[in-house]
């Protein structure tokens, strides 16, 4: 009888130990199963873009826009936060507008998006947009006062081509304005960052895209050569 009781106790203890081991194993598996949920919660926190101060994000994307519109477009597709930043006025103010991709005067209806983009750039004070609009108004659309004002605004913000064109126009108006024109031309010439040959080439390129009489275009190009001979 005693032997039977000892055997029953041993069996009970063994069963209790196995039950505890199973319970411990279940708890361990349950803890492992909960770990991905905790990780998922941490991924729902703020993105690195959201952690950037807004003014810093704007400055970064303005630099991107000044070097490559394609990179700016890709940034816009990246996420909602970047898309919002790309619409800031400061980004449009510094956007690059290469002449080979954006004609001075878009002709077709398919260019509505281009017109809208250029208009937004000009409204935000983009110097290249102001210069292009000023050239088109003054030389092609016969809106001399509006064109001169846009050229003046671009020149005031340091746009080299606008300063040159505006200076030449002033040079052949009144005596008082001719002095201002000479100063603008001298400032461009003294700027070590400006390549005069490249500047003249760019001005000729934009003139070639506009409706101008051959005599008018030739006259201005001659004045351009005289200014920096």
């Amino acid at each position: 009888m005693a032997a039977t009781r000892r055997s029953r106790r041993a069996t009970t203890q063994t069963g209790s130990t196995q039950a505890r081991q199973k319970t411990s194993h279940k708890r361990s598996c349950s803890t492992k199963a909960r770990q991905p949920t905790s990780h998922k919660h941490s991924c729902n926190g703020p993105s690195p873009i959201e952690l950037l101060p807004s003014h810093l994000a704007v400055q970064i994307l303005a630099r991107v826009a000044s070097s490559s519109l394609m990179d700016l477009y890709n940034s816009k597709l990246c996420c909602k936060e970047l898309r919002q930043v790309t619409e800031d006025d400061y980004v449009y103010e510094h956007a690059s507008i290469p002449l080979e991709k954006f004609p001075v005067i878009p002709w077709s209806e398919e260019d509505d998006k281009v017109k809208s983009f250029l208009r937004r750039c000009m409204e935000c004070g983009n110097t290249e947009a102001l210069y292009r609009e000023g050239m088109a108004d003054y030389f092609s659309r016969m809106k001399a006062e509006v064109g001169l004002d846009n050229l003046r605004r671009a020149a005031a913000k340091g746009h080299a081509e606008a300063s040159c064109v505006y200076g030449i126009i002033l040079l052949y108006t009144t005596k008082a304005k001719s002095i201002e024109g000479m100063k603008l031309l001298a400032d461009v010439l003294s700027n070590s960052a400006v390549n005069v040959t490249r500047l003249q080439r760019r001005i000729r390129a934009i003139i070639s895209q506009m409706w101008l009489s051959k005599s008018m275009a030739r006259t201005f190009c001659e004045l351009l050569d005289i200014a920096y001979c």
Side-chain angles (χ1 to χ4, degrees):
M1 290 293 290
T4 302
R5 287 175 184 169
R6 283 195 298 271
S7 175
R8 286 178 180 174
R9 284 199 197 101
T11 302
T12 302
Q13 289 175 353
T14 302
S16 178
T17 301
Q18 291 175 346
R20 283 197 300 270
Q21 288 176 346
K22 288 182 179 180
T23 302
S24 176
H25 178 69
K26 286 181 180 180
R27 286 177 181 172
S28 175
C29 291
S30 177
T31 301
K32 289 180 180 178
R34 285 197 298 268
Q35 284 177 354
T37 303
S38 174
H39 175 68
K40 183 178 180 180
H41 177 72
S42 66
C43 289
N44 290 331
S47 68
I49 298 298
E50 291 177 296
L51 294 175
L52 274 176
S54 58
H55 70 279
L56 183 57
V58 168
Q59 288 182 0
I60 291 172
L61 283 182
R63 288 200 174 193
V64 171
S66 68
S67 60
S68 171
L69 288 180
M70 181 57 69
D71 288 343
L72 180 68
Y73 178 74
N74 290 335
S75 299
K76 186 179 290 190
L77 297 179
C78 184
C79 63
K80 182 178 71 175
E81 290 79 14
L82 281 182
R83 185 165 62 251
Q84 291 173 345
V85 176
T86 59
E87 291 301 313
D88 192 275
D89 287 353
Y90 188 77
V91 175
Y92 279 90
E93 181 184 356
H94 293 82
S96 169
I97 310 175
L99 188 61
E100 61 275 10
K101 293 183 180 180
F102 295 90
V104 179
I105 302 176
W107 302 109
S108 68
E109 294 180 359
E110 297 177 358
D111 293 328
D112 285 344
K113 290 184 178 180
V114 173
K115 292 177 183 177
S116 177
F117 169 73
L118 293 175
R119 190 181 307 113
R120 177 72 188 278
C121 287
M122 197 177 74
E123 290 170 354
C124 295
N126 184 297
T127 56
E128 181 67 18
L130 288 169
Y131 164 62
R132 292 159 60 104
E133 190 71 7
M135 292 290 284
D137 284 337
Y138 188 85
F139 289 103
S140 187
R141 299 179 185 133
M142 300 306 160
K143 298 179 181 178
E145 290 186 11
V146 177
L148 277 178
D149 185 58
N150 284 327
L151 288 170
R152 178 192 59 78
R153 289 170 61 194
K157 297 181 75 171
H159 193 282
E161 287 92 333
S163 298
C164 180
V165 173
Y166 186 56
I168 290 174
I169 294 171
L170 292 182
L171 200 61
Y172 292 91
T173 54
T174 65
K175 185 176 180 180
K177 289 186 176 180
S178 68
I179 295 173
E180 182 184 351
M182 290 176 64
K183 184 179 183 304
L184 279 169
L185 294 172
D187 288 344
V188 173
L189 192 60
S190 64
N191 188 343
S192 59
V194 174
N195 183 311
V196 174
T197 302
R198 182 173 177 273
L199 177 141
Q200 292 173 315
R201 191 186 308 123
R202 282 175 55 85
I203 293 174
R204 287 192 178 90
I206 202 169
I207 287 175
S208 69
Q209 289 193 9
M210 297 186 296
W211 281 351
L212 290 176
S213 67
K214 289 183 179 179
S215 60
M216 186 177 183
R218 185 168 55 251
T219 299
F220 188 82
C221 289
E222 287 174 354
L223 293 175
L224 182 62
D225 290 333
I226 292 171
Y228 291 111
C229 63

